[in-house]
Amino acid sequence: MNVLALGPWLVPLPRLYAGLIAGGVLIAATLVLRLPHHRRAIWFGGGLVCALLAARLGHAALHPEATLAAPLDLFRPWLPGYQPLAGWLGAAAWSAWALRDRRRPRLAAQGLLVAAALAWLGLTAWQPLGRAPTLTHLPDLALDTLEGRSVTLAPADDRPLIVTLVQTRCRACRHTLPRLAALAARGEARVAVIAEGDSLLAVGRYLDRHGLSLPRVLLDPHEKWLALSHAPGLPATLVFDRHGRRVASHAGEPTRALLDSWTRLAQR
């Protein structure tokens, strides 16, 4: 999965690569741009802010329905939802404006931004810190429902199957469950929630307390799914198509836009 676990925090690798490259750009700017310190700080700081805002707004523009359904997600920077090209354009526009009176530094700055974009694309394609999930197909693994029946997840129709591993004491999991309930209610995908290491009593009490209605909640007291998926943390989501093949995976809290994109991907 494309995240790095740092203690209890899950850091998406594309953002980690972007942060490392931004640091490299700042170091290179001191050597290449030859600007006074305050002008260099304004150029870099403003470009970083413009890149983040443009990337966020670009993603919102591409997913208007999901954005209108959960507008506050825009103001939660830790959630997924950044459009890389829009972010690069935002940084380039700021760079052109901030250095409009300095032709050579302006051209050099644009060259740094192009190099940064190419470096980010290379790292995200190479994924030197990433590890692909070992679970490529739905496993033949029986788990108990809250009613005590033993079931095995399997493709049942043309809809994708979204399997999310959670724990009731996990804060990000608690934010994820209402989104999964809403997705299941829309009927666009089959949703299965697997409680890792939680007891029947803990799961039942949690669902009752928060009034959550999920079509399929399974108990995994020995955390077999967690071991099979090699998930670095929770929540962890795996998306399977109608043939039972894994087509997407994600560790961390998903947004509605991300859930919608998985649904469309798995239906192709």
Side-chain angles (χ1 to χ4, degrees):
M1 295 186 181
N2 60 340
V3 299
L4 182 66
L6 297 176
W9 297 284
L10 298 176
V11 182
L13 289 180
R15 293 189 219 175
L16 177 61
Y17 298 146
L20 294 174
I21 291 170
V25 167
L26 180 58
I27 294 172
T30 62
L31 304 173
V32 175
L33 298 188
R34 296 182 180 179
L35 290 170
H37 175 73
H38 72 282
R39 286 292 300 271
R40 191 167 63 248
I42 291 172
W43 169 79
F44 181 79
L48 190 60
V49 171
C50 287
L52 292 173
L53 289 176
R56 201 64 156 168
L57 293 176
H59 182 271
L62 292 175
H63 302 87
E65 184 178 350
T67 301
L68 291 175
L72 293 180
D73 285 353
L74 286 173
F75 304 98
R76 298 180 177 127
W78 59 89
L79 292 180
Y82 293 90
Q83 215 291 324
L85 177 58
W88 186 88
L89 291 174
W94 169 260
S95 183
W97 168 258
L99 301 177
R100 61 191 181 281
D101 58 334
R102 306 285 293 269
R103 182 176 180 274
R104 287 188 178 180
R106 183 174 69 249
L107 294 176
Q110 300 293 27
L112 285 177
L113 292 178
V114 170
L118 293 175
W120 183 83
L121 289 172
L123 285 173
T124 52
W126 179 27
Q127 288 292 0
L129 300 177
R131 183 175 64 176
T134 56
L135 200 59
T136 59
H137 290 77
L138 269 171
D140 184 17
L141 185 63
L143 296 176
D144 289 339
T145 66
L146 298 184
E147 294 77 24
R149 294 182 291 106
S150 180
V151 299
T152 300
L153 293 176
D157 51 39
D158 287 341
R159 294 180 299 165
L161 172 62
I162 296 181
V163 179
T164 302
L165 315 181
V166 301
Q167 286 178 342
T168 56
R169 58 186 177 274
C170 160
R171 181 177 180 181
C173 299
R174 294 196 294 268
H175 293 160
T176 300
L177 287 172
R179 295 190 182 103
L180 294 173
L183 176 64
R186 294 197 299 272
E188 299 168 359
R190 297 168 59 226
V191 175
V193 173
I194 300 180
E196 297 294 315
D198 280 330
S199 67
L200 171 62
L201 183 61
V203 176
R205 282 181 174 175
Y206 181 85
L207 295 176
D208 290 341
R209 187 185 314 124
H210 295 277
L212 290 172
S213 177
L214 289 157
R216 178 157 292 180
V217 179
L218 304 177
L219 300 174
D220 188 10
H222 302 296
E223 301 183 355
K224 295 178 181 179
W225 264 83
L226 193 59
L228 285 173
S229 65
H230 287 181
L234 297 176
T237 302
L238 297 107
V239 184
F240 300 92
D241 64 12
R242 61 180 178 273
H243 304 294
R245 298 173 300 200
R246 177 186 57 80
V247 295
S249 60
H250 177 76
E253 185 179 342
T255 60
R256 171 170 174 171
L258 193 55
L259 291 169
D260 290 347
S261 69
W262 289 335
T263 300
R264 292 190 295 270
L265 174 66
Q267 287 175 337
R268 291 177 183 173

